[in-house]
Amino acid sequence: MTAKVKSSSEQELDKCQKQFDAFDDNIKSLTQDRMKEAPKLEVEPQTKLSQNEISKSKDIYLKPWKTIGCKEKFNEKYRDEYNFQKEYVHFTAENHEIIGEELDFWTRPFPGMPAEEWKVPCNKPVWAPRYVAERIKGCSYHRLKMDTRTTGGDGRAEYYGSMAVDTTVQRLDAVPVSNRKSVFVSAGF
């Protein structure tokens, strides 16, 4: 029996493989619950309107740009929730990715409802159904970045590897116009 000695390059490859495996395990551990706990990235509000400016501005009521019907029947168990969601609320939409660009998206809040395309102007107070404001408010993503930390050691040496640290970025936002309690009651804003 002859013992095979690993060359320094093979040892280096083994070390890299361990670091990659640790990183892979860390990425796999990113569950939805952990991502929801991620800190939100703070951004400056784009529109700062005074109450005087709000009262002088004309009311803009939005309607769907396009509507596509569906053959599915509406489930009457959700009628109360639907009636709550279709109430018009006063808000200002903000686009944090492309500042000032109009928002264009589709909604279909309940089965049996038609799909609707909405075009919402940014940085202007508008009136739209609550489900439109909540759809805008829900547009966020998780940013993963690499952070070098000590991942462990075996007593003789410490291992350094990359760990994924995530933050939540609010891509689009719907800010209530009034100073009263938030109109987005069902989303817990």
Side-chain angles (χ1 to χ4, degrees):
M1 279 201 213
T2 59
K4 188 174 182 181
V5 178
K6 288 187 175 183
S7 69
S8 64
S9 60
E10 287 176 334
Q11 290 175 348
E12 201 59 36
L13 281 173
D14 288 343
K15 184 177 166 184
C16 289
Q17 183 63 39
K18 286 180 186 177
Q19 288 178 349
F20 179 76
D21 291 340
F23 173 73
D24 192 41
D25 290 340
N26 192 29
I27 292 295
K28 287 178 183 175
S29 72
L30 287 176
T31 61
Q32 287 296 328
D33 293 335
R34 184 171 157 206
M35 286 196 181
K36 286 180 183 175
E37 294 172 359
K40 274 202 167 189
L41 191 67
E42 294 294 324
V43 292
E44 284 283 322
Q46 292 176 11
T47 49
K48 296 178 183 174
L49 298 173
S50 69
Q51 287 299 325
N52 194 22
E53 290 173 319
I54 292 170
S55 64
K56 286 183 180 178
S57 67
K58 67 177 187 173
D59 289 339
I60 300 172
Y61 285 86
L62 300 180
K63 291 184 179 181
W65 186 258
K66 289 182 188 174
T67 303
I68 299 175
C70 79
K71 295 179 182 179
E72 211 175 337
K73 284 186 89 176
F74 181 75
N75 189 343
E76 291 299 325
K77 289 192 306 185
Y78 300 106
R79 179 61 67 184
D80 291 337
E81 178 67 18
Y82 168 70
N83 288 335
F84 177 72
Q85 289 290 328
K86 74 174 186 174
E87 291 174 1
Y88 270 66
V89 294
H90 201 196
F91 67 94
T92 303
E94 295 180 352
N95 187 341
H96 296 293
E97 295 292 311
I98 306 172
I99 295 173
E101 183 173 290
E102 180 180 70
L103 307 181
D104 187 358
F105 56 91
W106 287 83
T107 61
R108 188 167 178 236
F110 296 94
M113 297 292 303
E116 301 169 331
E117 181 182 14
W118 293 87
K119 294 190 181 209
V120 180
C122 285
N123 306 326
K124 293 181 185 176
V126 296
W127 289 87
R130 182 175 276 113
Y131 64 85
V132 172
E134 289 182 0
R135 167 73 167 78
I136 294 170
K137 189 78 172 166
C139 291
S140 63
Y141 61 90
H142 300 286
R143 184 178 293 161
L144 302 177
K145 64 180 180 178
M146 306 308 288
D147 190 21
T148 305
R149 295 186 186 169
T150 304
T151 58
D154 59 3
R156 295 178 298 202
E158 289 184 354
Y159 301 112
Y160 292 92
S162 297
M163 300 190 59
V165 178
D166 52 333
T167 57
T168 303
V169 179
Q170 190 72 36
R171 187 171 65 88
L172 306 175
D173 206 357
V175 181
V177 170
S178 70
N179 288 336
R180 294 177 289 147
K181 186 180 174 194
S182 176
V183 294
F184 307 110
V185 176
S186 70
F189 293 60

mmCIF file of all heavy atoms in Angstrom, residues 45-51 54 57 88-94 96 120 123-130 132-134 136-138 170 172-189:
data_model
loop_
_atom_site.group_PDB
_atom_site.id
_atom_site.type_symbol
_atom_site.label_atom_id
_atom_site.label_comp_id
_atom_site.label_asym_id
_atom_site.label_seq_id
_atom_site.Cartn_x
_atom_site.Cartn_y
_atom_site.Cartn_z
ATOM 1 N N PRO A 45 -39.159 59.329 0.450
ATOM 2 C CA PRO A 45 -40.388 59.466 -0.334
ATOM 3 C C PRO A 45 -40.186 60.477 -1.463
ATOM 4 O O PRO A 45 -39.528 61.494 -1.286
ATOM 5 C CB PRO A 45 -41.425 59.954 0.679
ATOM 6 C CG PRO A 45 -40.664 60.367 1.880
ATOM 7 C CD PRO A 45 -39.305 59.757 1.817
ATOM 8 N N GLN A 46 -40.725 60.157 -2.633
ATOM 9 C CA GLN A 46 -40.517 61.013 -3.805
ATOM 10 C C GLN A 46 -41.430 62.225 -3.802
ATOM 11 O O GLN A 46 -41.057 63.285 -4.273
ATOM 12 C CB GLN A 46 -40.762 60.209 -5.079
ATOM 13 C CG GLN A 46 -39.739 59.145 -5.307
ATOM 14 C CD GLN A 46 -40.075 58.303 -6.526
ATOM 15 O OE1 GLN A 46 -40.949 58.643 -7.306
ATOM 16 N NE2 GLN A 46 -39.383 57.200 -6.680
ATOM 17 N N THR A 47 -42.635 62.052 -3.296
ATOM 18 C CA THR A 47 -43.597 63.151 -3.328
ATOM 19 C C THR A 47 -43.877 63.636 -1.922
ATOM 20 O O THR A 47 -44.235 62.859 -1.052
ATOM 21 C CB THR A 47 -44.916 62.710 -3.981
ATOM 22 O OG1 THR A 47 -45.317 61.488 -3.379
ATOM 23 C CG2 THR A 47 -44.768 62.527 -5.457
ATOM 24 N N LYS A 48 -43.680 64.911 -1.735
ATOM 25 C CA LYS A 48 -43.969 65.534 -0.445
ATOM 26 C C LYS A 48 -44.966 66.661 -0.702
ATOM 27 O O LYS A 48 -44.583 67.792 -0.945
ATOM 28 C CB LYS A 48 -42.690 66.063 0.197
ATOM 29 C CG LYS A 48 -41.706 64.971 0.529
ATOM 30 C CD LYS A 48 -40.450 65.525 1.116
ATOM 31 C CE LYS A 48 -39.461 64.413 1.367
ATOM 32 N NZ LYS A 48 -38.174 64.872 1.808
ATOM 33 N N LEU A 49 -46.241 66.290 -0.701
ATOM 34 C CA LEU A 49 -47.282 67.265 -0.971
ATOM 35 C C LEU A 49 -47.877 67.763 0.332
ATOM 36 O O LEU A 49 -48.123 66.986 1.256
ATOM 37 C CB LEU A 49 -48.395 66.634 -1.818
ATOM 38 C CG LEU A 49 -47.992 66.121 -3.203
ATOM 39 C CD1 LEU A 49 -49.150 65.386 -3.844
ATOM 40 C CD2 LEU A 49 -47.541 67.263 -4.080
ATOM 41 N N SER A 50 -48.109 69.052 0.398
ATOM 42 C CA SER A 50 -48.762 69.616 1.579
ATOM 43 C C SER A 50 -50.264 69.362 1.482
ATOM 44 O O SER A 50 -50.793 69.059 0.413
ATOM 45 C CB SER A 50 -48.479 71.111 1.671
ATOM 46 O OG SER A 50 -49.143 71.786 0.621
ATOM 47 N N GLN A 51 -50.947 69.494 2.597
ATOM 48 C CA GLN A 51 -52.398 69.308 2.595
ATOM 49 C C GLN A 51 -53.072 70.336 1.688
ATOM 50 O O GLN A 51 -54.080 70.036 1.050
ATOM 51 C CB GLN A 51 -52.944 69.418 4.024
ATOM 52 C CG GLN A 51 -52.615 68.226 4.898
ATOM 53 C CD GLN A 51 -53.204 66.937 4.343
ATOM 54 O OE1 GLN A 51 -54.281 66.922 3.766
ATOM 55 N NE2 GLN A 51 -52.471 65.857 4.507
ATOM 56 N N ILE A 54 -52.699 69.087 -1.858
ATOM 57 C CA ILE A 54 -53.586 67.944 -2.067
ATOM 58 C C ILE A 54 -55.020 68.409 -2.265
ATOM 59 O O ILE A 54 -55.723 67.935 -3.164
ATOM 60 C CB ILE A 54 -53.482 66.961 -0.877
ATOM 61 C CG1 ILE A 54 -52.098 66.303 -0.864
ATOM 62 C CG2 ILE A 54 -54.564 65.909 -0.941
ATOM 63 C CD1 ILE A 54 -51.798 65.509 0.377
ATOM 64 N N SER A 57 -55.430 69.992 -5.757
ATOM 65 C CA SER A 57 -55.253 69.138 -6.931
ATOM 66 C C SER A 57 -56.589 68.509 -7.320
ATOM 67 O O SER A 57 -57.430 68.223 -6.472
ATOM 68 C CB SER A 57 -54.221 68.047 -6.657
ATOM 69 O OG SER A 57 -54.709 67.156 -5.693
ATOM 70 N N TYR A 88 -62.628 52.478 -3.518
ATOM 71 C CA TYR A 88 -61.607 53.393 -4.019
ATOM 72 C C TYR A 88 -60.875 54.052 -2.848
ATOM 73 O O TYR A 88 -61.503 54.477 -1.881
ATOM 74 C CB TYR A 88 -62.223 54.447 -4.928
ATOM 75 C CG TYR A 88 -62.262 54.010 -6.376
ATOM 76 C CD1 TYR A 88 -63.060 52.944 -6.777
ATOM 77 C CD2 TYR A 88 -61.488 54.639 -7.330
ATOM 78 C CE1 TYR A 88 -63.090 52.527 -8.099
ATOM 79 C CE2 TYR A 88 -61.507 54.232 -8.659
ATOM 80 C CZ TYR A 88 -62.308 53.180 -9.036
ATOM 81 O OH TYR A 88 -62.314 52.765 -10.335
ATOM 82 N N VAL A 89 -59.541 54.086 -2.941
ATOM 83 C CA VAL A 89 -58.695 54.706 -1.927
ATOM 84 C C VAL A 89 -57.828 55.772 -2.588
ATOM 85 O O VAL A 89 -57.552 55.715 -3.787
ATOM 86 C CB VAL A 89 -57.810 53.664 -1.198
ATOM 87 C CG1 VAL A 89 -58.660 52.709 -0.384
ATOM 88 C CG2 VAL A 89 -56.939 52.895 -2.165
ATOM 89 N N HIS A 90 -57.402 56.744 -1.801
ATOM 90 C CA HIS A 90 -56.616 57.878 -2.289
ATOM 91 C C HIS A 90 -55.148 57.624 -1.941
ATOM 92 O O HIS A 90 -54.806 57.516 -0.765
ATOM 93 C CB HIS A 90 -57.125 59.154 -1.619
ATOM 94 C CG HIS A 90 -56.786 60.400 -2.352
ATOM 95 N ND1 HIS A 90 -56.866 61.631 -1.762
ATOM 96 C CD2 HIS A 90 -56.373 60.645 -3.616
ATOM 97 C CE1 HIS A 90 -56.526 62.557 -2.629
ATOM 98 N NE2 HIS A 90 -56.215 61.983 -3.759
ATOM 99 N N PHE A 91 -54.292 57.528 -2.946
ATOM 100 C CA PHE A 91 -52.878 57.236 -2.710
ATOM 101 C C PHE A 91 -52.017 57.870 -3.791
ATOM 102 O O PHE A 91 -52.509 58.333 -4.810
ATOM 103 C CB PHE A 91 -52.626 55.726 -2.642
ATOM 104 C CG PHE A 91 -52.849 55.005 -3.944
ATOM 105 C CD1 PHE A 91 -51.796 54.770 -4.816
ATOM 106 C CD2 PHE A 91 -54.110 54.562 -4.300
ATOM 107 C CE1 PHE A 91 -51.999 54.105 -6.009
ATOM 108 C CE2 PHE A 91 -54.323 53.895 -5.495
ATOM 109 C CZ PHE A 91 -53.260 53.668 -6.347
ATOM 110 N N THR A 92 -50.715 57.870 -3.536
ATOM 111 C CA THR A 92 -49.725 58.331 -4.511
ATOM 112 C C THR A 92 -48.809 57.159 -4.824
ATOM 113 O O THR A 92 -48.239 56.554 -3.912
ATOM 114 C CB THR A 92 -48.891 59.495 -3.944
ATOM 115 O OG1 THR A 92 -49.775 60.543 -3.574
ATOM 116 C CG2 THR A 92 -47.906 60.010 -4.959
ATOM 117 N N ALA A 93 -48.677 56.815 -6.088
ATOM 118 C CA ALA A 93 -47.805 55.718 -6.504
ATOM 119 C C ALA A 93 -46.394 56.254 -6.738
ATOM 120 O O ALA A 93 -46.218 57.354 -7.264
ATOM 121 C CB ALA A 93 -48.330 55.078 -7.778
ATOM 122 N N GLU A 94 -45.400 55.472 -6.318
ATOM 123 C CA GLU A 94 -43.992 55.846 -6.504
ATOM 124 C C GLU A 94 -43.246 54.690 -7.143
ATOM 125 O O GLU A 94 -43.426 53.543 -6.758
ATOM 126 C CB GLU A 94 -43.348 56.208 -5.168
ATOM 127 C CG GLU A 94 -43.939 57.430 -4.521
ATOM 128 C CD GLU A 94 -43.280 57.781 -3.200
ATOM 129 O OE1 GLU A 94 -42.449 56.992 -2.707
ATOM 130 O OE2 GLU A 94 -43.599 58.854 -2.661
ATOM 131 N N HIS A 96 -39.570 53.457 -7.492
ATOM 132 C CA HIS A 96 -38.232 53.683 -6.956
ATOM 133 C C HIS A 96 -37.123 53.201 -7.892
ATOM 134 O O HIS A 96 -35.969 53.562 -7.718
ATOM 135 C CB HIS A 96 -38.074 52.989 -5.600
ATOM 136 C CG HIS A 96 -38.978 53.555 -4.554
ATOM 137 N ND1 HIS A 96 -38.847 54.826 -4.068
ATOM 138 C CD2 HIS A 96 -40.045 53.022 -3.915
ATOM 139 C CE1 HIS A 96 -39.780 55.063 -3.170
ATOM 140 N NE2 HIS A 96 -40.531 53.978 -3.065
ATOM 141 N N VAL A 120 -50.928 53.528 -14.035
ATOM 142 C CA VAL A 120 -51.009 54.429 -12.883
ATOM 143 C C VAL A 120 -49.901 55.472 -12.992
ATOM 144 O O VAL A 120 -48.720 55.114 -13.053
ATOM 145 C CB VAL A 120 -50.873 53.636 -11.558
ATOM 146 C CG1 VAL A 120 -50.967 54.565 -10.372
ATOM 147 C CG2 VAL A 120 -51.911 52.533 -11.484
ATOM 148 N N ASN A 123 -46.230 59.787 -8.665
ATOM 149 C CA ASN A 123 -46.042 61.051 -7.959
ATOM 150 C C ASN A 123 -47.225 62.006 -8.097
ATOM 151 O O ASN A 123 -47.049 63.222 -8.030
ATOM 152 C CB ASN A 123 -44.745 61.733 -8.406
ATOM 153 C CG ASN A 123 -43.554 60.810 -8.261
ATOM 154 O OD1 ASN A 123 -43.502 60.000 -7.351
ATOM 155 N ND2 ASN A 123 -42.609 60.917 -9.164
ATOM 156 N N LYS A 124 -48.422 61.476 -8.307
ATOM 157 C CA LYS A 124 -49.651 62.265 -8.346
ATOM 158 C C LYS A 124 -50.675 61.562 -7.471
ATOM 159 O O LYS A 124 -50.797 60.338 -7.527
ATOM 160 C CB LYS A 124 -50.220 62.342 -9.767
ATOM 161 C CG LYS A 124 -49.389 63.112 -10.742
ATOM 162 C CD LYS A 124 -50.072 63.117 -12.095
ATOM 163 C CE LYS A 124 -49.196 63.776 -13.130
ATOM 164 N NZ LYS A 124 -49.793 63.697 -14.456
ATOM 165 N N PRO A 125 -51.442 62.320 -6.683
ATOM 166 C CA PRO A 125 -52.507 61.686 -5.912
ATOM 167 C C PRO A 125 -53.604 61.164 -6.846
ATOM 168 O O PRO A 125 -54.079 61.893 -7.717
ATOM 169 C CB PRO A 125 -53.044 62.807 -5.026
ATOM 170 C CG PRO A 125 -52.078 63.925 -5.137
ATOM 171 C CD PRO A 125 -51.306 63.737 -6.377
ATOM 172 N N VAL A 126 -53.933 59.889 -6.708
ATOM 173 C CA VAL A 126 -54.961 59.263 -7.546
ATOM 174 C C VAL A 126 -55.917 58.458 -6.670
ATOM 175 O O VAL A 126 -55.596 58.112 -5.531
ATOM 176 C CB VAL A 126 -54.341 58.340 -8.623
ATOM 177 C CG1 VAL A 126 -53.498 59.116 -9.605
ATOM 178 C CG2 VAL A 126 -53.546 57.219 -8.000
ATOM 179 N N TRP A 127 -57.061 58.161 -7.232
ATOM 180 C CA TRP A 127 -58.047 57.290 -6.605
ATOM 181 C C TRP A 127 -58.120 56.022 -7.447
ATOM 182 O O TRP A 127 -58.251 56.085 -8.671
ATOM 183 C CB TRP A 127 -59.420 57.954 -6.577
ATOM 184 C CG TRP A 127 -59.537 59.094 -5.626
ATOM 185 C CD1 TRP A 127 -59.235 60.401 -5.861
ATOM 186 C CD2 TRP A 127 -60.001 59.028 -4.283
ATOM 187 N NE1 TRP A 127 -59.478 61.159 -4.750
ATOM 188 C CE2 TRP A 127 -59.972 60.332 -3.759
ATOM 189 C CE3 TRP A 127 -60.457 57.999 -3.460
ATOM 190 C CZ2 TRP A 127 -60.349 60.634 -2.463
ATOM 191 C CZ3 TRP A 127 -60.843 58.298 -2.171
ATOM 192 C CH2 TRP A 127 -60.785 59.598 -1.682
ATOM 193 N N ALA A 128 -58.028 54.857 -6.782
ATOM 194 C CA ALA A 128 -58.128 53.566 -7.467
ATOM 195 C C ALA A 128 -58.623 52.535 -6.458
ATOM 196 O O ALA A 128 -58.573 52.774 -5.251
ATOM 197 C CB ALA A 128 -56.768 53.152 -8.038
ATOM 198 N N PRO A 129 -59.085 51.374 -6.936
ATOM 199 C CA PRO A 129 -59.521 50.348 -5.989
ATOM 200 C C PRO A 129 -58.382 49.929 -5.060
ATOM 201 O O PRO A 129 -57.204 49.989 -5.413
ATOM 202 C CB PRO A 129 -59.940 49.185 -6.893
ATOM 203 C CG PRO A 129 -60.263 49.818 -8.198
ATOM 204 C CD PRO A 129 -59.339 50.989 -8.320
ATOM 205 N N ARG A 130 -58.754 49.512 -3.867
ATOM 206 C CA ARG A 130 -57.787 49.129 -2.846
ATOM 207 C C ARG A 130 -56.861 48.009 -3.345
ATOM 208 O O ARG A 130 -55.673 48.002 -3.067
ATOM 209 C CB ARG A 130 -58.526 48.680 -1.580
ATOM 210 C CG ARG A 130 -57.609 48.300 -0.451
ATOM 211 C CD ARG A 130 -58.379 47.973 0.823
ATOM 212 N NE ARG A 130 -58.671 49.221 1.528
ATOM 213 C CZ ARG A 130 -59.883 49.726 1.696
ATOM 214 N NH1 ARG A 130 -60.921 49.099 1.227
ATOM 215 N NH2 ARG A 130 -60.057 50.853 2.356
ATOM 216 N N VAL A 132 -55.668 47.566 -6.232
ATOM 217 C CA VAL A 132 -54.626 48.139 -7.091
ATOM 218 C C VAL A 132 -53.508 48.716 -6.217
ATOM 219 O O VAL A 132 -52.319 48.476 -6.466
ATOM 220 C CB VAL A 132 -55.214 49.222 -8.025
ATOM 221 C CG1 VAL A 132 -54.114 49.956 -8.769
ATOM 222 C CG2 VAL A 132 -56.190 48.600 -9.002
ATOM 223 N N ALA A 133 -53.884 49.451 -5.170
ATOM 224 C CA ALA A 133 -52.876 50.022 -4.264
ATOM 225 C C ALA A 133 -52.092 48.918 -3.561
ATOM 226 O O ALA A 133 -50.866 49.010 -3.416
ATOM 227 C CB ALA A 133 -53.551 50.924 -3.241
ATOM 228 N N GLU A 134 -52.764 47.865 -3.152
ATOM 229 C CA GLU A 134 -52.066 46.769 -2.484
ATOM 230 C C GLU A 134 -51.171 46.006 -3.446
ATOM 231 O O GLU A 134 -50.115 45.506 -3.055
ATOM 232 C CB GLU A 134 -53.072 45.847 -1.807
ATOM 233 C CG GLU A 134 -53.702 46.498 -0.594
ATOM 234 C CD GLU A 134 -54.680 45.606 0.139
ATOM 235 O OE1 GLU A 134 -54.879 44.455 -0.290
ATOM 236 O OE2 GLU A 134 -55.239 46.074 1.130
ATOM 237 N N ILE A 136 -49.560 47.373 -5.953
ATOM 238 C CA ILE A 136 -48.380 48.236 -6.087
ATOM 239 C C ILE A 136 -47.499 48.109 -4.850
ATOM 240 O O ILE A 136 -46.285 47.959 -4.942
ATOM 241 C CB ILE A 136 -48.798 49.707 -6.316
ATOM 242 C CG1 ILE A 136 -49.497 49.853 -7.661
ATOM 243 C CG2 ILE A 136 -47.595 50.635 -6.234
ATOM 244 C CD1 ILE A 136 -50.163 51.194 -7.868
ATOM 245 N N LYS A 137 -48.110 48.145 -3.674
ATOM 246 C CA LYS A 137 -47.370 48.073 -2.408
ATOM 247 C C LYS A 137 -46.620 46.751 -2.280
ATOM 248 O O LYS A 137 -45.574 46.678 -1.650
ATOM 249 C CB LYS A 137 -48.358 48.253 -1.249
ATOM 250 C CG LYS A 137 -47.731 48.403 0.083
ATOM 251 C CD LYS A 137 -47.204 49.793 0.256
ATOM 252 C CE LYS A 137 -46.739 50.016 1.671
ATOM 253 N NZ LYS A 137 -45.947 51.214 1.799
ATOM 254 N N GLY A 138 -47.139 45.702 -2.903
ATOM 255 C CA GLY A 138 -46.515 44.378 -2.809
ATOM 256 C C GLY A 138 -45.341 44.159 -3.746
ATOM 257 O O GLY A 138 -44.752 43.080 -3.752
ATOM 258 N N GLN A 170 -38.033 47.821 -1.754
ATOM 259 C CA GLN A 170 -39.375 48.169 -2.219
ATOM 260 C C GLN A 170 -39.246 48.816 -3.585
ATOM 261 O O GLN A 170 -38.821 49.944 -3.712
ATOM 262 C CB GLN A 170 -40.040 49.123 -1.223
ATOM 263 C CG GLN A 170 -41.490 49.367 -1.479
ATOM 264 C CD GLN A 170 -42.364 48.165 -1.153
ATOM 265 O OE1 GLN A 170 -42.101 47.447 -0.208
ATOM 266 N NE2 GLN A 170 -43.382 47.960 -1.955
ATOM 267 N N LEU A 172 -41.763 49.326 -6.015
ATOM 268 C CA LEU A 172 -42.867 50.252 -6.220
ATOM 269 C C LEU A 172 -43.528 50.484 -4.874
ATOM 270 O O LEU A 172 -43.485 49.620 -4.003
ATOM 271 C CB LEU A 172 -43.900 49.682 -7.195
ATOM 272 C CG LEU A 172 -43.392 49.230 -8.563
ATOM 273 C CD1 LEU A 172 -44.520 48.593 -9.353
ATOM 274 C CD2 LEU A 172 -42.783 50.375 -9.323
ATOM 275 N N ASP A 173 -44.151 51.629 -4.718
ATOM 276 C CA ASP A 173 -44.790 51.913 -3.437
ATOM 277 C C ASP A 173 -46.070 52.700 -3.663
ATOM 278 O O ASP A 173 -46.170 53.472 -4.609
ATOM 279 C CB ASP A 173 -43.838 52.701 -2.543
ATOM 280 C CG ASP A 173 -44.123 52.502 -1.073
ATOM 281 O OD1 ASP A 173 -45.095 51.794 -0.743
ATOM 282 O OD2 ASP A 173 -43.379 53.056 -0.257
ATOM 283 N N ALA A 174 -47.045 52.475 -2.787
ATOM 284 C CA ALA A 174 -48.294 53.228 -2.787
ATOM 285 C C ALA A 174 -48.413 53.864 -1.416
ATOM 286 O O ALA A 174 -48.542 53.176 -0.413
ATOM 287 C CB ALA A 174 -49.475 52.315 -3.072
ATOM 288 N N VAL A 175 -48.349 55.185 -1.374
ATOM 289 C CA VAL A 175 -48.357 55.931 -0.120
ATOM 290 C C VAL A 175 -49.718 56.578 0.059
ATOM 291 O O VAL A 175 -50.171 57.307 -0.832
ATOM 292 C CB VAL A 175 -47.241 57.004 -0.130
ATOM 293 C CG1 VAL A 175 -47.212 57.766 1.176
ATOM 294 C CG2 VAL A 175 -45.901 56.383 -0.438
ATOM 295 N N PRO A 176 -50.399 56.332 1.190
ATOM 296 C CA PRO A 176 -51.701 56.978 1.409
ATOM 297 C C PRO A 176 -51.557 58.496 1.404
ATOM 298 O O PRO A 176 -50.583 59.039 1.902
ATOM 299 C CB PRO A 176 -52.123 56.484 2.791
ATOM 300 C CG PRO A 176 -51.264 55.305 3.073
ATOM 301 C CD PRO A 176 -50.014 55.461 2.286
ATOM 302 N N VAL A 177 -52.539 59.186 0.856
ATOM 303 C CA VAL A 177 -52.475 60.635 0.748
ATOM 304 C C VAL A 177 -52.883 61.312 2.047
ATOM 305 O O VAL A 177 -52.284 62.281 2.458
ATOM 306 C CB VAL A 177 -53.356 61.133 -0.429
ATOM 307 C CG1 VAL A 177 -53.493 62.637 -0.412
ATOM 308 C CG2 VAL A 177 -52.749 60.690 -1.739
ATOM 309 N N SER A 178 -53.869 60.793 2.720
ATOM 310 C CA SER A 178 -54.376 61.475 3.913
ATOM 311 C C SER A 178 -53.486 61.211 5.125
ATOM 312 O O SER A 178 -52.702 60.269 5.146
ATOM 313 C CB SER A 178 -55.793 61.008 4.214
ATOM 314 O OG SER A 178 -55.766 59.675 4.667
ATOM 315 N N ASN A 179 -53.625 62.066 6.146
ATOM 316 C CA ASN A 179 -52.885 61.894 7.393
ATOM 317 C C ASN A 179 -53.640 60.994 8.375
ATOM 318 O O ASN A 179 -53.152 60.703 9.442
ATOM 319 C CB ASN A 179 -52.646 63.255 8.068
ATOM 320 C CG ASN A 179 -51.613 64.050 7.311
ATOM 321 O OD1 ASN A 179 -50.786 63.483 6.611
ATOM 322 N ND2 ASN A 179 -51.665 65.353 7.446
ATOM 323 N N ARG A 180 -54.816 60.577 7.983
ATOM 324 C CA ARG A 180 -55.594 59.695 8.842
ATOM 325 C C ARG A 180 -54.972 58.308 8.866
ATOM 326 O O ARG A 180 -53.966 58.046 8.217
ATOM 327 C CB ARG A 180 -57.032 59.600 8.323
ATOM 328 C CG ARG A 180 -57.773 60.913 8.416
ATOM 329 C CD ARG A 180 -59.141 60.793 7.826
ATOM 330 N NE ARG A 180 -59.029 60.677 6.378
ATOM 331 C CZ ARG A 180 -59.843 59.982 5.598
ATOM 332 N NH1 ARG A 180 -60.836 59.330 6.119
ATOM 333 N NH2 ARG A 180 -59.668 59.943 4.303
ATOM 334 N N LYS A 181 -55.620 57.399 9.600
ATOM 335 C CA LYS A 181 -55.156 56.016 9.663
ATOM 336 C C LYS A 181 -55.048 55.458 8.243
ATOM 337 O O LYS A 181 -55.841 55.805 7.382
ATOM 338 C CB LYS A 181 -56.136 55.191 10.496
ATOM 339 C CG LYS A 181 -55.672 53.796 10.733
ATOM 340 C CD LYS A 181 -56.692 53.040 11.565
ATOM 341 C CE LYS A 181 -56.254 51.591 11.671
ATOM 342 N NZ LYS A 181 -57.293 50.749 12.159
ATOM 343 N N SER A 182 -54.097 54.580 8.016
ATOM 344 C CA SER A 182 -53.840 54.047 6.698
ATOM 345 C C SER A 182 -55.089 53.425 6.085
ATOM 346 O O SER A 182 -55.859 52.748 6.748
ATOM 347 C CB SER A 182 -52.735 52.991 6.774
ATOM 348 O OG SER A 182 -52.554 52.408 5.507
ATOM 349 N N VAL A 183 -55.287 53.691 4.798
ATOM 350 C CA VAL A 183 -56.431 53.142 4.082
ATOM 351 C C VAL A 183 -56.185 51.709 3.632
ATOM 352 O O VAL A 183 -57.084 51.034 3.179
ATOM 353 C CB VAL A 183 -56.810 54.012 2.856
ATOM 354 C CG1 VAL A 183 -57.299 55.361 3.295
ATOM 355 C CG2 VAL A 183 -55.646 54.138 1.903
ATOM 356 N N PHE A 184 -54.960 51.235 3.752
ATOM 357 C CA PHE A 184 -54.611 49.889 3.339
ATOM 358 C C PHE A 184 -54.776 48.941 4.519
ATOM 359 O O PHE A 184 -53.845 48.302 4.954
ATOM 360 C CB PHE A 184 -53.185 49.823 2.808
ATOM 361 C CG PHE A 184 -52.925 50.831 1.720
ATOM 362 C CD1 PHE A 184 -52.111 51.912 1.949
ATOM 363 C CD2 PHE A 184 -53.507 50.686 0.489
ATOM 364 C CE1 PHE A 184 -51.869 52.841 0.966
ATOM 365 C CE2 PHE A 184 -53.281 51.619 -0.520
ATOM 366 C CZ PHE A 184 -52.457 52.683 -0.276
ATOM 367 N N VAL A 185 -55.984 48.825 5.025
ATOM 368 C CA VAL A 185 -56.229 48.093 6.253
ATOM 369 C C VAL A 185 -55.934 46.617 6.103
ATOM 370 O O VAL A 185 -55.300 46.017 6.969
ATOM 371 C CB VAL A 185 -57.693 48.297 6.705
ATOM 372 C CG1 VAL A 185 -58.012 47.467 7.925
ATOM 373 C CG2 VAL A 185 -57.946 49.771 6.989
ATOM 374 N N SER A 186 -56.334 45.996 5.025
ATOM 375 C CA SER A 186 -56.186 44.545 4.930
ATOM 376 C C SER A 186 -54.740 44.104 4.810
ATOM 377 O O SER A 186 -54.394 42.990 5.146
ATOM 378 C CB SER A 186 -56.993 44.012 3.743
ATOM 379 O OG SER A 186 -56.394 44.413 2.539
ATOM 380 N N ALA A 187 -53.849 44.963 4.320
ATOM 381 C CA ALA A 187 -52.447 44.581 4.174
ATOM 382 C C ALA A 187 -51.655 44.864 5.443
ATOM 383 O O ALA A 187 -50.503 44.501 5.550
ATOM 384 C CB ALA A 187 -51.809 45.315 2.998
ATOM 385 N N GLY A 188 -52.250 45.519 6.417
ATOM 386 C CA GLY A 188 -51.577 45.796 7.667
ATOM 387 C C GLY A 188 -50.497 46.861 7.541
ATOM 388 O O GLY A 188 -49.471 46.796 8.181
ATOM 389 N N PHE A 189 -50.724 47.868 6.729
ATOM 390 C CA PHE A 189 -49.713 48.901 6.504
ATOM 391 C C PHE A 189 -49.807 49.886 7.618
ATOM 392 O O PHE A 189 -50.354 50.819 7.727
ATOM 393 C CB PHE A 189 -49.926 49.568 5.149
ATOM 394 C CG PHE A 189 -49.672 48.634 4.018
ATOM 395 C CD1 PHE A 189 -50.377 47.479 3.866
ATOM 396 C CD2 PHE A 189 -48.691 48.919 3.098
ATOM 397 C CE1 PHE A 189 -50.141 46.627 2.832
ATOM 398 C CE2 PHE A 189 -48.444 48.073 2.048
ATOM 399 C CZ PHE A 189 -49.176 46.923 1.908
#
